[in-house]
Amino acid sequence: MRRCVCPGSYDPVTMGHVDVVERATALFDEVVVAVLHNPDKQGTFPVPERLELLEASVGGTAGVSVVEFGGRLLVDVCREVGATAVVKGLRSGTDFAYELPMALMNRHLTGIETVFVPGDPRYGHVSSSLVKQVSAYGGDVTGLVPDVVRDALTALRAGG
Ligand code: PNS
């Protein structure tokens, strides 16, 4: 049984995330999507809503589970869920520069490996922060995020 963790803030989940999680299921028997958050920071969506949006987006895919951990090291989360690898998507060299030190630190801490998946170019311009900004000012993010996330972003704009 090979299990990986796809970690992130998922504030909110985008189609780029969904693509990476689905591709991870081809590489691992089980994929644990872990919402890692700092309990001292609010974020845009409360953690329970991030989990609901993830469940609606990837929870129905065989082998995928969604969990959350506050104030924990990723390596400890991996140990707790019994994962042997972390899977991350890379959209660009900038992502790689950001991710490489974290991957090396995580391997230093427990020996866990990070598997990088090249992001689908269809979503190369998609990030949680950009879709929030576009939607907040009335832009259409259809196709860049799951429909439930688009609707949640619209509700946010409307004030609830
Ligand atoms: O979606 P994000 O914001 O790029 O995700 C970053 C995340 C949550 C994966 C990263 O911040 C993380 O691993 N946080 C857990 C705390 C930790 O282990 N920090 C040390 C990493 S070297």
Side-chain angles (χ1 to χ4, degrees):
M1 174 64 71
R2 289 189 163 269
R3 185 177 295 141
C4 73
V5 166
C6 287
S9 307
Y10 297 107
D11 190 25
V13 57
T14 69
M15 288 309 293
H17 294 129
V18 170
D19 176 56
V20 170
V21 169
E22 286 177 350
R23 287 161 62 194
T25 65
L27 302 172
F28 292 85
D29 302 307
E30 289 186 1
V31 176
V32 179
V33 178
V35 177
L36 300 187
H37 58 98
N38 179 344
D40 299 330
K41 285 194 188 158
Q42 167 82 49
T44 303
F45 288 97
V47 171
E49 191 172 0
R50 292 186 221 172
L51 293 169
E52 275 172 31
L53 294 171
L54 272 166
E55 284 288 357
S57 307
V58 297
T61 304
V64 174
S65 58
V66 178
V67 298
E68 60 103 358
F69 288 90
R72 299 282 300 280
L73 282 176
L74 174 57
V75 291
D76 291 332
V77 169
C78 290
R79 215 174 348 221
E80 189 157 324
V81 303
T84 52
V86 172
V87 173
K88 284 283 195 99
L90 293 180
R91 287 164 299 193
S92 64
T94 308
D95 276 356
F96 182 67
Y98 172 72
E99 295 290 348
L100 181 62
M102 291 201 285
L104 293 173
M105 178 60 81
N106 289 331
R107 190 163 72 102
H108 167 83
L109 291 172
T110 63
I112 195 151
E113 295 287 5
T114 297
V115 175
F116 290 123
V117 174
D120 189 312
R122 279 181 299 168
Y123 308 123
H125 56 304
V126 177
S127 66
S128 298
S129 54
L130 268 188
V131 295
K132 283 189 284 196
Q133 193 180 111
V134 168
S135 180
Y137 290 107
D140 184 9
V141 294
T142 301
L144 306 183
V145 293
D147 287 351
V148 284
V149 174
R150 178 200 55 204
D151 296 346
L153 286 166
T154 304
L156 206 62
R157 183 169 76 223

